[in-house]
Amino acid sequence: RRIGRYSVLANFAACIQHNTLFFQLRHSDGRNNLNRLSLAMLLAMTLSDGCDTMLHFVIGFSLQFTQPFNGVVLVAVFKFLVLGVAQIPGMLSVFRVQNPEQPGEGPNAMVGTFYARTFALQLGLGVCVYAFMWALPVLAVLAQLYWVPQIVSDVISGSRRTLHPSFVWCTALSRLF
C-alpha cells in the first residue's frame, strides 16, 4: 500500500518536472534566450534524474519477488520516459544553440557527440555512486546543487531572470520530494 502511494506521488512529481521543463524551454524560445540557459544546470538535473531512475530500478528489482505489483519499477520507467522525452531533447536544443555546427561536420556528428558525452557522464556517475555508496547522503545533497551553474552563468554574463520563477519554484519543490 505504501509503495502504491509512493509511486503515485513520485509520478506526479515527475509530471510536474516534465511540464515545468517544457514551460521553461518555451519561455526561453529564441536563440538569445536559449543561449543564456546553462547547459551545466540542465546536465546536472539530467544526471540527478538518471541516478534517481537507476536507484528506483535497483530498489524495484530487489522487491520483485516480495510484491506482486511493483510500483517502484513503474516510477523508474516513468522517470526514464521523462528523461528521454523531455530533458535530453531539451538539453540538445540548448547544446545546438550554444555550439553551432563546425564546417565539414554534419548535424548527425554533433548529435552523436552530444549523446555520447551525456551517456558517458551518466555511466561514470553511476559507477561513482556505486563506488562511494557509503557517501550516498552527501551525494544526494550534492545532487541538489543543480542551480549553482545557472547562477554562476548569470553572474558571468550579467543577465537577469534567465529562468522563469514558476520553473524555479515548481522544480525546487518537486525535486525536494
Side-chain angles (χ1 to χ4, degrees), residues 60-83:
F61 287 133
S62 69
L63 294 175
Q64 178 180 3
F65 301 110
T66 61
Q67 302 276 332
F69 171 74
N70 200 340
V72 179
V73 173
L74 182 67
V75 169
V77 168
F78 190 73
K79 284 192 74 77
F80 182 74
L81 289 175
V82 167
L83 186 72

Side-chain angles (χ1 to χ4, degrees), residues 23 26 36 39 52 61 81 89 99 121 171:
F23 177 77
R26 210 173 32 244
R36 290 182 358 196
L39 190 60
D52 189 32
F61 287 133
L81 289 175
N99 300 307
L121 278 170
T171 301

Side-chain angles (χ1 to χ4, degrees), residues 117-137:
R117 288 178 183 168
T118 302
F119 290 121
L121 278 170
Q122 185 68 50
L123 182 64
L125 187 63
V127 169
C128 286
V129 166
Y130 180 75
F132 299 107
M133 191 68 74
W134 54 271
L136 199 55

